[in-house]
Amino acid sequence: MKQRAAGALRAAAIPALAVVTGLMAGAVIVVVTDVEVIRAWSSFGSHPGGALAATWRSVARAYGALFEGSLGSAYAISESLVTTTPYILAGLAVALGFRAGLFNIGAEGQLFMGALASVWVGYSVKGLSPWLHLPLALAAGAAAGAIWGAIPGYLKARTGAHEVVNTIMMNYIAFRLSDWLLNGPMKRPGPGGTPGYVPISPEVLPSAYLPRLFEPPLRFHAGFFLALAVAVVVWWLLWRTPLGFEMRSVGANPQAARTAGMSVRKVYVVAMGMSGALAGLAGANQVLGVDRWVGQGFSPGYGFDSIALALLGGSHPAGVVLASLLFGTLRSGATRMQSAAGIPIDIITILQALILAFVAAPALVRAIYRLKKAAPTAGPVLTRGWGK
Amino acid sequence: MIRRFRPFDGTGAGAATLAAGPSARVQVRRGLGPGLVGFLLALAIVILFGLSTPFGEVSTFGLNPGGHVPAIVLPDLVVPSALGIYLMAFVAGAIGAAYLSAPRVKAGATIGISVAALTLAFLIWAVQGQSLNLLGMLKSTLLRATPIALGAMSGVLCERSGVINIGIEGMMLTAALAAVVAASATSNLYLGLLAAILSGGLLALVHAVLSIKYRVDQIVSGTVINILATGVTSYLSARFLEKYMWLNNSGTLPVWSVPGLSDIPIVGPILFENTLIVYLMLLLVIGIQVMLFSSRFGLRVRAVGEHPRAADTLGINVWRTRYLSVLLGGMVAGIGGAYFSIGSAGRFDEVMTAGRGFIGLAAMIFGNWTPAGAFASSLIFGFADSLQIRMQILQTPIPSEFLLMAPYVATIVALSGVVGRVTPPAADGQPYEK
């Protein structure tokens, strides 16, 4: 037990250092792009103190707002957890793919399809009890995502076409399809039954709501616990079932798995389908719990962020949950940073890329902190060229 | 039997089947698929377009450039609509029949010709009773193919040396911003182009260091670059460009007409009346093709991408070759990025590359990792892109979203090996360790 704890600690060292390094780099970016700081430094010769003070002010204002917006109040905490929820599900989607040796860049498109399907069930199926309607809407979202993910999985199994490019293409197809749906068949009618102007879907009926647990304006909803439960299920699936064993074997070494009599093709289709289902569930969760309708570009890139989450979390469900909590907190804090300190919310995207780079290049982190070379760990093997 | 393509499988499983016996050989050599595709498309042309076109209607295609009057004015091409459509149906059916009966007709050519017939029939159908400037459409095909082809050239350079580069999209996006800012700040569009090339090269250097030195999974490294580029460009444009708008107002590169050559009918206005970026693209396609396949450096790049250990044994510096190829690739992607801002829009908008880098990657795969093939594929994507815009003007009943989807669907179809087998460089994606 003690050994296991030490192992987990060692496994967490690089991601933790990556996050710290990323945050520091983020501070540097905030400072060097702050016009006041640049001005103060240009008169460094006459007012050295002023330059340093301006630098400190800039960092303190930015990160102060970040903290305030993420953990500073009940509302802030609720918003952080609301953002965490789709992150957990989408992160699990990419992580599950990684474990089977598949790189699913299509989580965003799968999420869109899931959201559209669950919204459609949410507003068009009428007169059901919440006990039936909500699960049905969630299932529709998962199913739509599963189909969207299984197509590239099938193509990889059947023809060897690489899932990275195909999932990216499926993303663009999903965006166009959702544009068309929201401007056509799923467009919300305007007053008096005239065609509406805005490309948004009708509102989900209350019987399909994921219930909110506190009084407004707190938006924290039951979907958070659903996401945690799904994380447990994914863990159980991967490490406690024969199918999970097959997936991990194929992910570690497809040739060996094939020799052992496993159907690599089946695993590709099933794993991509499940990955898509998780991403679709993320979309369903978001619209049934928070937005309750779908508009054009409703996701601020949850699906794209999920790649970083899965890598940061070591493709382990527990790691993904922790990484999602971190990114959920950062993203909701960044909203406040934008409004209070005037720092564009895109700083979060930069932080993600930096953290991702550091996580992916442990040697780089070790070089920065002069750490000893660690024993090789058995993480999931990622892609090997264009699909071998 | 349905023919099974194994596009990315270098194990030679096909050869094993070939050796299995005469009956297996016949099955492997020819399936019915491409022939059936020809017939099905012929049927589709008749049902979708032929039946809804009355005889007596004509489709008019203009062959002269808009704007300045050319030296030789060509008459419009007037096609009797229904007749043209049925002719196209006949072409698609005939090539299908030819495939099934003649052993030499290739699957790729069969599908290519029947799809082309479908496209032409669609054009004639959509234009009936109206007119379309065909020359303008071909010109915009080349223009819209330009960033895709440059992305594909970037991919060819990197991947021929064994480094996958899915960060092309990010390199282009960053270069688009760098170009517009440098050009606006210095009031010199050529300095903007230089900034684009340098910023593309800088990001490529990041990719090279991560994937060659730190042996980061190349797809992860490319993803890092894409995320970083999206973040940095959006951050900088929100922080600075919205406040200092003069920084985001560069104007566009002028169109240069090549004297004499631009007066050639049809070819002249398309090829010899363009901006610098289009000319650069055309030169790079030729240059990289020659460089890769007939120069010593190109031979080395390919050797490193196919079998780095063997190349190393022969004294080729694997790392240096890869660094150089990736850097050159990044610079080419930078030119592609400049197309978006100083080449056409004159300003920078968030995520303005809109997936063109990825399409370029698909064009590279479609073109079997050769510059000429990748350029041809880029033209197909460019054509789909420019067709889509014209269809909105012609008000066909097909929603524009579906036409916008076409390039992506085409990419998936192409990747899945429907047209033929593609083979990536053998060491593509594998870090080299001594």
Side-chain angles (χ1 to χ4, degrees):
Chain A
M1 199 63 211
K2 201 172 164 189
Q3 217 169 13
R4 250 180 101 178
L9 205 65
R10 209 173 313 124
I14 293 292
L17 283 175
V19 170
V20 171
T21 319
L23 284 173
M24 288 194 300
V28 172
I29 292 171
V30 166
V31 168
V32 300
T33 57
D34 189 328
V35 180
E36 277 173 42
V37 176
I38 297 171
R39 224 169 267 148
W41 276 94
S42 60
S43 55
F44 181 77
S46 51
H47 297 93
L52 292 174
T55 308
W56 171 247
R57 256 204 318 277
S58 176
V59 175
R61 197 174 55 200
Y63 279 51
L66 181 73
F67 179 79
E68 210 180 295
S70 56
L71 300 166
S73 64
Y75 177 75
I77 293 173
S78 155
E79 285 299 294
S80 293
L81 292 178
V82 164
T83 319
T84 302
T85 306
Y87 272 157
I88 294 177
L89 291 165
L92 287 171
V94 182
L96 185 96
F98 277 147
R99 286 286 165 187
L102 295 161
F103 201 149
N104 178 10
I105 301 196
E108 183 81 359
Q110 293 147 14
L111 192 139
F112 259 81
M113 297 315 287
L116 288 166
S118 66
V119 156
W120 182 70
V121 169
Y123 74 77
S124 68
V125 180
K126 296 186 176 81
L128 285 183
S129 95
W131 296 102
L132 271 173
H133 199 188
L134 174 61
L136 194 66
L138 286 170
I147 293 169
W148 220 246
I151 293 171
Y154 173 80
L155 290 173
K156 183 184 175 86
R158 185 81 196 176
T159 70
H162 201 283
E163 76 279 7
V164 164
V165 177
N166 273 349
T167 51
I168 292 169
M169 295 301 136
M170 292 298 280
N171 280 343
Y172 287 107
I173 296 173
F175 300 154
R176 302 297 173 213
L177 196 62
S178 84
D179 283 352
W180 176 68
L181 285 172
L182 294 174
N183 271 310
M186 282 177 71
K187 189 169 186 161
R188 183 186 296 191
T194 52
Y197 288 108
V198 201
I200 55 172
S201 76
E203 233 173 284
V204 171
L205 297 173
S207 53
Y209 283 2
L210 270 165
R212 294 190 182 165
L213 303 179
F214 299 99
E215 293 296 306
L218 297 196
R219 299 196 295 172
F220 181 75
H221 59 91
F224 180 71
F225 299 106
L226 179 72
L228 290 184
V230 170
V232 175
V233 170
V234 169
W235 172 83
W236 174 80
L237 176 90
L238 279 173
W239 276 278
R240 290 289 181 273
T241 65
L243 179 63
F245 178 72
E246 271 186 61
M247 284 191 199
R248 287 185 293 123
S249 310
V250 169
N253 189 337
Q255 276 81 16
R258 188 177 293 124
T259 314
M262 296 173 190
S263 168
V264 176
R265 293 178 166 206
K266 184 195 86 183
V267 167
Y268 282 161
V269 180
V270 171
M272 279 302 286
M274 283 207 256
S275 177
L278 288 166
L281 208 52
N285 199 297
Q286 182 67 9
V287 294
L288 300 177
V290 184
D291 301 335
R292 291 169 181 174
W293 45 270
V294 176
Q296 243 169 350
F298 88 102
S299 158
Y302 293 123
F304 293 123
D305 296 355
S306 59
I307 300 162
L309 295 169
L311 287 168
L312 186 59
S315 298
H316 190 284
V320 169
V321 170
L322 289 176
S324 304
L325 279 167
L326 176 74
F327 273 106
T329 315
L330 282 178
R331 186 174 264 282
S332 87
T335 315
R336 169 102 189 127
M337 207 154 92
Q338 173 151 325
S339 59
I343 291 155
I345 196 166
D346 308 289
I347 185 81
I348 288 303
T349 315
I350 302 179
L351 281 182
Q352 266 174 34
L354 293 173
I355 293 173
L356 189 53
F358 292 130
V359 169
L364 189 60
V365 175
R366 281 198 209 95
I368 293 172
Y369 293 97
R370 293 162 205 272
L371 296 182
K372 273 186 299 197
K373 196 169 159 58
T377 46
V381 183
L382 298 179
T383 42
R384 303 171 195 78
W386 288 111
K388 263 165 264 176
Chain B
M1 181 198 154
I2 298 168
R3 191 146 67 151
R4 287 189 192 165
F5 294 94
R6 293 191 174 82
F8 298 111
D9 176 337
T11 57
T17 330
L18 269 177
S23 64
R25 181 173 306 164
V26 172
Q27 282 179 344
V28 166
R29 204 190 55 194
R30 287 183 88 75
L32 297 176
L36 288 181
V37 167
F39 285 122
L40 285 176
L41 291 186
L43 200 64
I45 292 171
V46 172
I47 294 172
L48 290 177
F49 310 129
L51 298 181
S52 61
T53 309
F55 279 90
E57 199 70 82
V58 290
S59 309
T60 310
F61 296 99
L63 294 178
N64 297 299
H68 88 270
V69 180
I72 306 159
V73 179
L74 292 173
D76 286 346
L77 188 67
V78 180
V79 181
S81 308
L83 203 66
I85 290 170
Y86 286 114
L87 183 71
M88 287 303 129
F90 175 76
V91 168
I95 186 74
Y99 177 81
L100 292 181
S101 58
R104 292 242 179 88
V105 181
K106 287 197 173 148
T110 306
I111 294 178
I113 291 174
S114 40
V115 170
L118 178 80
T119 315
L120 281 176
F122 169 73
L123 260 183
I124 297 171
W125 172 77
V127 180
Q128 57 173 299
Q130 306 180 62
S131 78
L132 172 83
N133 188 342
L134 192 64
L135 194 80
M137 185 165 163
L138 294 178
K139 203 164 154 54
S140 88
T141 294
L142 183 69
L143 203 62
R144 287 173 180 277
T146 297
I148 299 172
L150 286 165
M153 291 311 117
S154 170
V156 167
L157 278 172
C158 297
E159 302 213 354
R160 276 289 177 174
S161 80
V163 179
I164 291 180
N165 184 5
I166 71 163
I168 294 169
E169 177 84 4
M171 295 174 186
M172 284 193 175
L173 192 59
T174 311
L177 177 73
V180 85
V181 171
S184 306
T186 61
S187 307
N188 186 331
L189 287 160
Y190 303 100
L191 285 179
L193 182 61
L194 185 70
I197 294 173
L198 291 180
S199 63
L202 190 70
L203 271 188
L205 187 66
V206 173
H207 183 51
V209 170
L210 283 177
S211 61
I212 300 172
K213 176 148 192 243
Y214 288 104
R215 295 197 294 279
V216 171
D217 184 289
Q218 291 167 4
I219 290 187
V220 173
S221 168
T223 307
V224 166
I225 290 189
N226 286 332
I227 301 178
L228 188 69
T230 316
V232 168
T233 53
S234 302
Y235 178 84
L236 291 179
S237 86
R239 190 140 211 202
F240 294 113
L241 298 190
E242 278 168 19
K243 227 180 288 172
Y244 309 103
M245 280 186 330
W246 58 272
L247 271 178
N248 193 9
N249 186 10
S250 63
T252 50
L253 286 164
V255 171
W256 288 344
S257 299
V258 181
L261 291 177
S262 62
D263 284 331
I264 305 170
I266 300 180
V267 179
I270 294 175
L271 279 185
F272 301 109
E273 216 175 78
N274 284 302
T275 62
L276 176 60
I277 292 176
V278 179
Y279 293 125
L280 276 178
M281 182 272 289
L282 293 169
L283 289 178
L284 279 168
V285 170
I286 298 165
I288 294 172
Q289 179 83 26
V290 172
M291 191 272 285
L292 270 180
F293 296 103
S294 3
S295 82
R296 205 167 70 155
F297 178 67
L299 181 67
R300 288 184 171 181
V301 169
R302 285 184 294 136
V304 162
E306 294 293 339
H307 201 314
R309 189 153 313 276
D312 195 1
T313 314
L314 292 173
I316 299 171
N317 188 331
V318 176
W319 282 24
R320 198 175 64 200
T321 311
R322 285 191 171 177
Y323 265 106
L324 210 57
S325 306
V326 174
L327 266 181
L328 286 175
M331 291 174 169
V332 172
I335 302 176
Y339 164 87
F340 292 96
S341 56
I342 61 171
S344 54
R347 49 171 288 126
F348 177 82
D349 295 308
E350 281 186 36
V351 291
M352 74 189 306
T353 45
R356 249 48 149 259
F358 292 118
I359 303 265
L361 215 53
M364 170 199 75
I365 294 172
F366 202 7
N368 218 348
W369 284 265
T370 63
F375 173 62
S377 322
S378 306
L379 286 177
I380 295 175
F381 290 120
F383 182 77
D385 214 2
S386 95
L387 182 66
Q388 168 266 123
I389 290 163
R390 273 158 188 80
M391 288 310 108
Q392 290 182 34
I393 301 166
L394 290 170
Q395 298 195 322
T396 51
I398 300 168
S400 63
E401 286 92 350
F402 286 94
L403 290 165
L404 281 168
M405 256 181 235
Y408 308 113
V409 176
T411 305
I412 292 179
V413 171
L415 270 182
S416 306
V418 174
V419 180
R421 189 187 161 120
V422 292
T423 35
D428 206 9
Q430 291 162 5
Y432 181 65
E433 293 171 68
K434 283 206 176 186

